[in-house]
Amino acid sequence: MQMLDKFPMEGGQKDPKQRIIPFLPGKILFRRSHIRDVAVKRLIPIDEYCKALIQLPPYISQCEEVLQFFDTRPDDLSPPKE
């Protein structure tokens, strides 16, 4: 949402045909027993989103919001074992 606010033209707010920022795959509701299944189903759409995002012009692909999106978090390096 921050990127769409920062780049309204590229986000298609004025003209949807001009949108170059990809759509982020939507959230999927799930029960605790289905966490892995949902994660596996989302791998391909999220991978495609990430690839499309980094292929945008540098003023977008290297903006602070994108860099924060890809920033490593402590849980990424040592994920919970559950």
Side-chain angles (χ1 to χ4, degrees):
M1 295 305 298
Q2 291 174 351
M3 287 182 47
L4 297 177
D5 290 340
K6 188 172 186 173
F7 306 108
M9 185 166 19
E10 294 84 345
Q13 289 183 12
K14 299 199 189 281
D15 182 0
K17 294 177 187 171
Q18 298 294 319
R19 183 178 180 131
I20 61 171
I21 295 175
F23 288 96
L24 180 63
K27 291 182 179 181
I28 299 175
L29 299 176
F30 56 88
R31 291 178 284 174
R32 260 180 115 50
S33 61
H34 295 103
I35 292 172
R36 180 164 171 66
D37 294 338
V38 169
V40 169
K41 286 180 185 174
R42 293 194 68 191
L43 278 176
I44 292 174
I46 290 177
D47 181 59
E48 290 171 354
Y49 173 80
C50 291
K51 287 177 180 176
L53 194 59
I54 61 173
Q55 291 176 357
L56 291 173
Y59 73 95
I60 298 175
S61 65
Q62 296 174 24
C63 74
E64 187 62 31
E65 290 80 5
V66 173
L67 296 177
Q68 286 178 358
F69 180 79
F70 287 108
D71 198 18
T72 306
R73 298 180 181 176
D75 285 352
D76 296 335
L77 301 174
S78 299
K81 296 184 188 229
E82 299 174 8

